Amino acid sequence: MTFTTRPEIRGTFGVVTSTHWIASSVGFGILEKGGNAFDAAVATGIVLQVVEPHLNGPAGDLPAILYDVSKGKPEVLCAQGVAPAAASIEHFRGLGLNLIPGSGLLATVVPGAFDGWMLMLQDYGMLSLRDVLQPAIDYAKNGHPVLPRVAHTIASLKEFFAEEWPSSAEVWAPDGEVPEPNTNFKNPDLANTYQRILAEAEAKCGDREGQIAAAREIWRNGFVADAIGDYLSEASVMDVSEQKNSGILTREDLANWQAFTEETVSLNYHGWQVHKTLPWSQGPVMLQALSILKKFDLGAMDPNGDEFIHTVIEVMKLAYADRETYYGDPEFSDIPLGYLLSDDYAAERSQLVVEKASFEQRPGRLLGLEHLADGYIARAQQDFGVTCGVSAGEPTMAHLTEKRGDTVHLDIIDRWGNMVAATPSGGWLQSSPVVPGLGFPLNSRAQMFWLEEGVPNALAPRKRPRTTLTPSFAEKNGTQLVFGTPGGDQQDQWQLIWFLRFVHHGLDLQEGMDYPLFHTDHFQGSFFPREAKPGEMMIEPAVGQNTIDGLRARGHIVTVAEPWSIGRLTAALRHPCGTLQAAATPRLMQAYAIGR
């Protein structure tokens, strides 16, 4: 018998798993109320903004993969906001910057999350606007037990907030007091914002569809847009560049953007059709890794052994080098995705995996695009001359500073077989000052752009930054699976490792989440200060000393993390008979799966 840290949830009515137990409970309550997976996802996602404000917020970003039974195929909901119309490389260079700051107002793109949730509710849900907003309003108004990591994050930034971002101090440390861990914490301004959206939407229209449309319009052109626009028209604040900067986002930027749906990109791996987002996200990097890994007999390897880990690490280095070289918004660049996912290219790349760890950055040198590969290698070696100050970056977990943001994730399946995997992020409490009166900050996603002409992820007006957010959907012979994790550059690494052990070693959902995880830091990071750490990797000690020694013998620079400190995976699965399963990582003791 296999023992796990938690029971794996099983049932037929529905399952909800997310990175916070309160949000999972709310989502399952929506299913009990008669809502479908999409209704539950919206309610869960908006509550996550309240209970994990250090990880996501209303003005953040949202990619989701939706499976609507009536359509019979997965699709992507893209709520990744675009760069402002005034965004240009020249503007940032004129401020003396060679990287976009990882915090503050300059790094803000159009807020996408709220409109994305509303689009999901409008086109796929069944319940009313009030049904899905009320739980978040109640928790913001009446309070919730503040997570220790939230309290510690606020404590670490208290002085900075008071001196530089006073609107944030008012919300996160009211009356100058940092909340104690697990005490009841309220955000009345956020409660009022959502309550006002709801009240104005209900006053404008009496039917469900009209109210949701009105809520979207209020966000884009009503009091929310007014508050954001008025604040940005005058504000100049300190950010991680160690200078005060003003934002370039305007009311017109908010008014001219809406979330939308589009196709997935997919790859067949040992009978599983794995679906991801298009390359405005890092999603295809997991597909590239799977394509290369087809060439190796992973099933014959110990899933905790140094041969398995070495092979996966080396393949991830290759896939992520291509991510940094070739990925970007496909509306602005011709991304050679078909070739990057081809069998011929995978066979070529697999030959680069040898017994020793590579310390080189090795993007594929595609015909006619060699200059992009050379450019990436040069950037990965460049010293940008910056320090990683307050509230920079994203990457994740307990072994990193409390000042860094992260992400949340949810997976939901209802009794009819509708499914959602969503990875909301951005708009963290440490990313940007709170917009006065609204109770939430803006996002810092523009830090993912390069201030370099001619590369796929170069900054340009109305362009999507190449985000790290990357939910997953997979299916095989009628079995369907949604999964994901927070973690910035590690998201597709941890998902890949979990999925490989699921496919090749027969680990069940929870069992696989309890297995020790690892990742590479070799490639250039997506977040300020954009570091590359050649040959470096991190691993949990539960793999055993023999494996760690074996990896070091292969040349890897191995950092052993604290136990249970890497990855925040959740997953949900539906069998052809209608039986459901769900699981959530025990790491940080926040994520929970609920179902029956």
Side-chain angles (χ1 to χ4, degrees):
M1 179 179 178
T2 299
F3 291 92
T4 58
T5 58
R6 297 172 175 182
E8 187 161 286
I9 301 302
R10 296 175 183 266
T12 57
F13 175 78
V15 290
V16 177
T17 181
S18 83
T19 50
H20 196 290
W21 71 90
I22 288 177
S24 296
S25 297
V26 166
F28 194 75
I30 293 292
L31 295 183
E32 294 272 20
K33 194 172 184 175
N36 62 20
F38 311 111
D39 299 308
V42 176
T44 302
I46 296 178
V47 166
L48 284 170
Q49 298 169 2
V50 178
V51 297
E52 293 192 308
H54 61 317
L55 307 179
N56 78 134
D61 328 280
L62 170 64
I65 298 183
L66 315 177
Y67 181 81
D68 184 339
V69 171
S70 67
K71 295 184 178 181
K73 66 174 184 178
E75 55 190 336
V76 171
L77 185 150
C78 177
Q80 174 54 65
V82 299
S88 70
I89 293 173
E90 292 76 19
H91 177 77
F92 283 80
R93 292 287 190 182
L95 296 171
L97 301 172
N98 55 15
L99 289 179
I100 297 177
S103 64
L105 303 178
L106 263 181
T108 296
V109 300
V110 175
F114 180 78
D115 195 67
W117 289 124
M118 292 299 99
L119 176 62
M120 189 186 303
L121 181 66
Q122 174 182 289
D123 289 357
Y124 299 87
M126 301 163 58
L127 299 186
S128 71
L129 182 65
R130 178 171 291 277
D131 288 329
V132 300
L133 283 185
Q134 195 64 54
I137 292 169
D138 291 342
Y139 278 111
K141 179 180 179 180
N142 301 321
H144 59 90
V146 64
L147 292 168
R149 283 186 63 82
V150 176
H152 297 157
T153 298
I154 295 170
S156 70
L157 291 165
K158 177 186 176 183
E159 291 183 6
F160 178 81
F161 283 169
E163 293 174 8
E164 303 291 350
W165 297 359
S167 58
S168 292
E170 291 174 9
V171 170
W172 308 120
D175 301 319
E177 297 296 325
V178 174
E180 291 294 326
N182 299 312
T183 57
N184 197 51
F185 182 77
K186 303 174 183 179
N187 187 343
D189 284 352
L190 179 59
N192 291 338
T193 294
Y194 274 138
Q195 183 62 59
R196 183 174 172 184
I197 290 174
L198 177 59
E200 290 190 10
E202 290 181 337
K204 284 186 177 182
C205 194
D207 63 272
R208 174 186 177 276
E209 290 76 13
Q211 289 173 3
I212 298 168
R216 299 178 71 186
E217 182 66 17
I218 292 163
W219 180 276
R220 285 198 303 273
N221 284 305
F223 79 91
V224 176
D226 288 340
I228 293 172
D230 290 347
Y231 174 61
L232 291 178
S233 68
E234 298 181 354
S236 180
V237 305
M238 186 67 70
D239 60 38
V240 74
S241 69
E242 300 183 345
Q243 65 186 39
K244 289 190 174 184
N245 290 302
S246 299
I248 53 177
L249 185 76
T250 66
R251 286 189 87 270
E252 290 71 29
D253 292 317
L254 274 71
N256 293 332
W257 181 88
Q258 295 185 48
F260 57 93
T261 56
E262 63 184 12
E263 64 183 6
T264 65
V265 59
S266 70
L267 179 90
N268 191 278
Y269 183 78
H270 290 269
W272 285 91
Q273 196 70 25
V274 184
H275 295 261
K276 301 290 285 188
T277 55
L278 293 174
W280 54 267
S281 152
Q282 74 176 3
V285 78
M286 180 174 164
L287 303 183
Q288 277 197 251
L290 290 172
S291 184
I292 300 169
L293 287 167
K294 289 180 184 179
K295 312 302 177 183
F296 299 89
D297 187 6
L298 297 181
M301 301 179 189
D302 177 356
N304 267 346
D306 64 278
E307 182 184 17
F308 174 83
I309 295 169
H310 169 78
T311 301
V312 175
I313 286 280
E314 292 303 296
V315 167
M316 290 192 299
K317 291 177 184 178
L318 297 171
Y320 274 82
D322 282 347
R323 179 200 75 169
E324 280 304 295
T325 303
Y326 298 113
Y327 289 18
D329 188 341
E331 296 295 321
F332 285 75
S333 300
D334 185 11
I335 314 297
L337 197 56
Y339 183 73
L340 293 174
L341 294 176
S342 68
D343 288 340
D344 288 346
Y345 184 63
E348 173 189 328
R349 299 290 273 166
S350 69
Q351 297 302 308
L352 297 176
V353 179
V354 295
E355 290 299 310
K356 288 289 186 178
S358 172
F359 278 62
E360 299 178 37
Q361 301 294 342
R362 298 183 291 178
R365 298 184 63 80
L366 277 59
L367 185 64
L369 298 175
E370 293 89 351
H371 64 289
L372 294 180
D374 292 337
Y376 165 61
I377 293 170
R379 283 195 303 278
Q381 296 171 343
Q382 184 175 350
D383 180 358
F384 290 98
V386 300
T387 57
C388 191
V390 64
S391 64
E394 177 176 306
T396 188
M397 306 308 299
H399 51 270
L400 297 175
T401 172
E402 301 283 2
K403 294 180 181 179
R404 291 180 181 262
D406 193 7
T407 301
V408 299
H409 185 81
L410 61 90
D411 299 297
I412 300 177
I413 309 176
D414 65 26
R415 59 186 134 166
W416 302 287
N418 299 303
M419 309 176 75
V420 179
T423 313
S425 186
W428 321 298
L429 69 84
Q430 60 274 51
S431 66
S432 186
V434 166
V435 179
L438 294 184
F440 62 80
L442 299 171
N443 64 75
S444 56
R445 190 61 60 178
Q447 67 182 290
M448 323 214 78
F449 285 118
W450 287 111
L451 298 176
E452 181 179 336
E453 298 285 359
V455 299
N457 195 30
L459 176 67
R462 301 185 180 91
K463 184 177 184 179
R464 288 174 286 184
R466 198 275 303 140
T467 180
T468 53
L469 306 174
T470 173
S472 299
F473 174 89
E475 53 189 342
K476 179 182 181 181
N477 299 331
T479 298
Q480 297 169 311
L481 175 67
V482 282
F483 58 103
T485 179
D489 289 317
Q490 288 78 44
Q491 287 183 28
D492 275 315
Q493 299 192 61
W494 297 333
Q495 291 182 70
L496 173 70
I497 296 159
W498 177 85
F499 184 69
L500 291 172
R501 288 167 169 166
F502 172 78
V503 171
H504 293 290
H505 304 103
L507 300 186
D508 224 336
L509 306 192
Q510 190 65 50
E511 187 180 7
M513 286 177 195
D514 289 355
Y515 256 56
L517 284 168
F518 54 90
H519 61 260
T520 175
D521 296 312
H522 171 84
F523 54 87
Q524 192 158 35
S526 298
F527 297 88
F528 188 97
R530 310 305 294 266
E531 292 178 293
K533 300 177 181 179
E536 295 192 25
M537 63 169 290
M538 182 172 282
I539 197 165
E540 291 182 311
V543 294
Q545 193 60 46
N546 287 342
T547 293
I548 294 168
D549 292 343
L551 290 166
R552 287 174 172 154
R554 291 174 182 266
H556 298 277
I557 301 172
V558 181
T559 297
V560 180
E562 292 296 316
W564 300 103
S565 67
I566 296 179
R568 293 181 67 207
L569 286 151
T570 67
L573 181 147
R574 186 179 190 275
H575 295 278
C577 65
T579 300
L580 308 176
Q581 295 174 240
T585 182
R587 293 164 179 87
L588 300 189
M589 297 304 288
Q590 290 170 212
Y592 265 87
I594 298 175
R596 66 171 176 84

